[in-house]
Amino acid sequence: MKVFILGGDGFCGWPTALHLSKFGHDVVIIDNLSRRRIDLELDVESLTPICSIYDRINAWFEVTGHVIRFVELDIAHNFDELTSILREEKPDSIVHFAEQRAAPYSMKNSRTKNYTIFNNICGTHNVLNAVVEVQQDIHLVHLGTMGVYGYGHKEPVPIPEGYLDVQIRTSDDRQITDSIVYPPNPGSVYHMTKTMDAQMFQYYAKNDNLRITDLHQGIVWGTQTQDTSLDERLVNRFDYDGDYGTVLNRFLMQAAVGLPLTVHGTGGQTRAFIHITDTCKCIEYALMNPPSSGARPTILNQMAEARTLSDLAKDIQLITGCEIDYLPNPRNEAEENDLVVRNDQLRSFGWKPTLMEDSLFLEVTEITQRYRNRADYSKIQCVSYWTKHTQEQQTINQ
Ligand code: NAD
Ligand code: USQ
């Protein structure tokens, strides 16, 4: 299969590109390298020393003999180039990771809100529009997020895979059932772009019979996969800063360098998690099981397990003896929520989720120990606030 990996230089995209290349797929990475530029803007670096994309793909060829090609392209701004490359290459599938993915960065200020909206919405729309334009039957696999469902439930209400069966009373007083898209309830401008992407998928599947799979993924943790571990030059990125670092990797890094874990609020927030190796496997399953033309988008919940942040912090404390700080929450989110998620479809394809274990925590701990001298501790605190009011309150209290 020829696969375009949009955003293939990023945290999820790079190991996925290697995983698919290893199995003999013809992989073309398309990326505008904006993530590397945002690191410069924020004056942070991946904890792991990542090579340039050119050195990465040369190293992959040297080590495995597999060729990955790279095209530098901004999909949000360059519709014509995107269309040309689709015409020339005729990929079977596109995996779309190429979005601004940090909720705190999206809430930082009015410029980053605008950037996130433009980059993500125009990027996704350009991809859909280009596939229609070239009239090719390309399967689009998009990385969406569990956060589109919101985290409002206090009760354990199972979240279905994208669609909700509802009963509606007709005007002539009959009861009928229907299946609707699960009502979106985003918790940040970033998450809002994913709910808007989902709307575009519904439209293009209906109007143009595009074949689309939207993977509603939980928080990805871990760093390395079998493939990225083959050579130092293939190492995956590891974000730990207050904007791009995600919670479990941050906790593991903080414990490894002897800092207290930074739990926001009570830690009663329940979130969905998945290990990076499973991200790659699930994308492979999604590529192998496309929806048929004319079908509504397939929505898969790509998560392995749900945990509260305080439980996670306590587990890590048990293993490492670290301290836990319960900090004022910079976000506007429910203090506590329940989360029960159906992931039957991915399981039916044969996926056996990797669950959190001490041994897996060790992998992250080893990475953070090895590169601890590269850490800039001044970048750990989360300083992007969801509302001006929260920012003012927390500044007064400091
Ligand atoms: P990342 O920021 O590490 O990678 C995204 C890549 O896309 C970067 O290399 C960036 O340069 C590129 N990119 C961004 N905008 C682009 C554009 N306009 N044109 C071309 N390239 C562009 O993010 P990630 O963690 O790898 O996440 C990938 C996708 O998975 C995102 O869409 C994210 O929403 C989704 N996701 C991530 C997580 C997670 O925990 N990391 C969880 C759920 C879903
Ligand atoms: N949190 C802490 N302490 C920290 C950092 C975060 O308690 O030091 C809390 C946050 O307040 C939040 C939770 O941890 O309640 C998750 O935060 P996060 O930054 O790990 O994850 P999130 O902002 O939701 O975003 C990440 C990815 C995003 C993806 C999403 C999947 O950056 O791309 O879409 O996870 S999900 O959360 O399932 O929507």
Side-chain angles (χ1 to χ4, degrees), residues 280-299:
C280 304
K281 284 184 199 159
C282 288
I283 288 166
E284 189 192 349
Y285 283 124
L287 286 169
M288 297 304 159
N289 295 280
S292 49
S293 176
R296 67 185 185 180
T298 295
I299 299 175

Side-chain angles (χ1 to χ4, degrees), residues 24 70 110 143 164 170 182 232 290 318 361-364 374:
F70 168 65
S110 52
L143 272 292
L164 186 66
T170 61
Y182 196 93
E232 282 234 314
L318 267 181
F361 283 177
L362 265 184
E363 183 263 309
V364 182
R374 289 173 51 84

Side-chain angles (χ1 to χ4, degrees), residues 104-391:
Y105 185 79
S106 80
M107 302 303 290
K108 210 170 187 58
N109 54 48
S110 52
R111 186 189 61 76
T112 61
K113 285 180 188 175
N114 281 341
Y115 166 71
T116 304
I117 290 284
F118 180 85
N119 188 62
N120 295 4
I121 304 300
C122 291
T124 298
H125 189 260
N126 277 347
V127 174
L128 293 162
N129 196 4
V131 173
V132 172
E133 183 65 21
V134 298
Q135 295 185 299
Q136 293 165 17
D137 184 23
I138 299 170
H139 175 207
L140 175 66
V141 174
H142 170 255
L143 272 292
T145 174
M146 283 299 306
V148 294
Y149 299 117
Y151 295 107
H153 286 298
K154 290 216 157 81
E155 301 295 331
V157 180
I159 294 184
E161 298 188 273
Y163 300 96
L164 186 66
D165 292 333
V166 291
Q167 302 233 314
I168 309 168
R169 188 169 292 282
T170 61
S171 52
D172 55 359
D173 219 23
R174 282 174 301 116
Q175 191 91 340
I176 57 163
T177 51
D178 201 353
S179 173
I180 60 167
V181 176
Y182 196 93
N185 181 16
S188 71
V189 166
Y190 154 72
H191 287 97
M192 188 169 69
T193 63
K194 294 287 182 180
T195 71
M196 294 158 93
D197 284 347
Q199 193 63 57
M200 290 191 268
F201 299 146
Q202 292 294 327
Y203 176 76
Y204 275 94
K206 180 185 73 173
N207 196 61
D208 298 282
N209 293 334
L210 293 200
R211 293 185 301 136
I212 301 167
T213 301
D214 198 6
L215 302 171
H216 289 185
Q217 186 171 236
I219 301 171
V220 183
W221 69 283
T223 325
Q224 296 281 65
T225 62
Q226 232 179 21
D227 307 314
T228 62
S229 309
L230 285 175
D231 187 290
E232 282 234 314
R233 293 166 295 170
L234 301 174
V235 73
N236 199 12
R237 63 178 304 128
F238 186 105
D239 297 311
Y240 66 92
D241 63 279
D243 280 338
Y244 276 86
T246 50
V247 66
L248 179 50
N249 274 5
R250 274 167 62 79
F251 283 180
L252 290 168
M253 181 267 183
Q254 291 161 356
V257 301
L259 293 171
L261 310 190
T262 52
V263 175
H264 293 165
T266 62
Q269 306 94 315
T270 311
R271 293 293 181 270
F273 293 89
I274 181 167
H275 192 263
I276 185 72
T277 51
D278 278 351
T279 293
C280 304
K281 284 184 199 159
C282 288
I283 288 166
E284 189 192 349
Y285 283 124
L287 286 169
M288 297 304 159
N289 295 280
S292 49
S293 176
R296 67 185 185 180
T298 295
I299 299 175
L300 306 176
N301 290 336
Q302 188 164 304
M303 57 77 74
E305 58 193 315
R307 303 287 296 276
T308 65
L309 305 183
S310 58
D311 282 351
L312 274 185
K314 284 175 194 156
D315 283 354
I316 297 171
Q317 184 176 50
L318 267 181
I319 302 167
T320 65
C322 65
E323 286 176 29
I324 302 176
D325 268 358
Y326 291 89
L327 302 169
N329 197 340
R331 304 190 184 199
N332 184 6
E333 61 186 2
E335 272 196 18
E336 292 182 6
N337 67 287
D338 214 317
L339 186 63
V340 180
V341 181
R342 308 297 305 255
N343 59 4
D344 310 58
Q345 291 187 81
L346 277 166
R347 285 173 182 270
S348 76
F349 298 151
W351 177 47
K352 293 191 179 57
T354 312
L355 301 180
M356 291 173 199
E357 300 163 20
D358 303 358
S359 59
L360 282 173
F361 283 177
L362 265 184
E363 183 263 309
V364 182
T365 310
E366 271 165 26
I367 285 276
T368 47
Q369 288 290 4
R370 183 162 1 137
Y371 297 113
R372 59 181 298 162
N373 291 341
R374 289 173 51 84
D376 178 349
Y377 295 177
S378 73
K379 301 294 179 186
I380 288 180
Q381 205 195 334
C382 293
V383 288
S384 292
Y385 296 92
W386 258 233
T387 66
K388 286 192 192 310
H389 176 72
T390 320
Q391 180 167 14

